[in-house]
Amino acid sequence: MARLKLFLIANARRARPTGASGQGNWTMKFAKAAAHEGVVDGLRCIEDKIFETGQLVTATGDAESDVTLRFLIADIGNGPAPYLIIDVTTGAAVDEESDAWVELSDYVYSKYLDLSGSLPRRTSSVLGEAAGQVTRVNGRAILLSNW
């Protein structure tokens, strides 16, 4: 976790529109883009591939673990910002420092880039403004990857 805290301190999030109307408008656009059918279906396909490739079991050591991908506006220490969230739930104790988490995060990012090419330009553009992705295990952020 210390590595994540240092990374957060060293990498400030990108600026977002300021002012009540600018921030609210951008937040609404982000929520609409994140709910786009192509995005939701594409993220589910990536989840399926994570299971099929065995990457989730490699990271968790738990065949019963689960993963959910979604775009959210989250506050992980530097104020609210948009992220692609990799939510992992597991009953097993995990090694948060394992390279398997970086590999999982890189895999998700690669597959998301493939997906974004098939999305409408406006949707892809709005989601491309995400600050990065956060890998969480049982709700605890263990890895931040800035885009």
Side-chain angles (χ1 to χ4, degrees):
M1 191 61 183
R3 180 173 55 171
L4 176 62
K5 287 179 183 174
L6 290 174
F7 193 80
L8 288 172
I9 292 168
N11 295 289
R13 68 179 175 90
R14 290 190 276 183
R16 297 283 164 241
T18 57
S21 62
Q23 184 66 35
N25 187 35
W26 190 91
T27 300
M28 288 176 28
K29 286 180 184 178
F30 184 80
K32 183 177 178 182
H36 185 276
E37 183 179 0
V39 173
V40 173
D41 290 345
L43 292 178
R44 285 190 187 134
C45 287
I46 296 170
E47 290 171 6
D48 291 344
K49 289 292 184 189
I50 291 169
F51 286 109
E52 290 171 16
T53 61
Q55 290 190 28
L56 188 60
V57 173
T58 299
T60 64
D62 178 9
E64 300 298 316
S65 57
D66 195 19
V67 64
T68 303
L69 305 177
R70 63 180 178 240
F71 281 95
L72 288 176
I73 296 178
D75 186 345
I76 59 168
N78 290 333
Y83 293 95
L84 173 56
I85 306 292
I86 304 169
D87 260 330
V88 175
T89 54
T90 180
V94 298
D95 177 4
E96 295 179 1
E97 300 294 322
S98 170
D99 289 340
W101 296 113
V102 174
E103 292 170 14
L104 177 65
S105 178
D106 289 348
Y107 179 81
V108 169
Y109 181 64
S110 170
K111 293 301 178 187
Y112 172 71
L113 288 178
D114 293 345
L115 168 65
S116 67
S118 66
L119 297 173
R121 184 179 215 149
R122 174 169 277 169
T123 300
S124 180
S125 176
V126 170
L127 295 178
E129 289 296 312
Q133 61 193 43
V134 178
T135 304
R136 300 190 309 192
V137 177
N138 298 328
R140 178 180 159 91
I142 64 165
L143 181 66
L144 169 67
S145 303
N146 283 355
W147 288 355

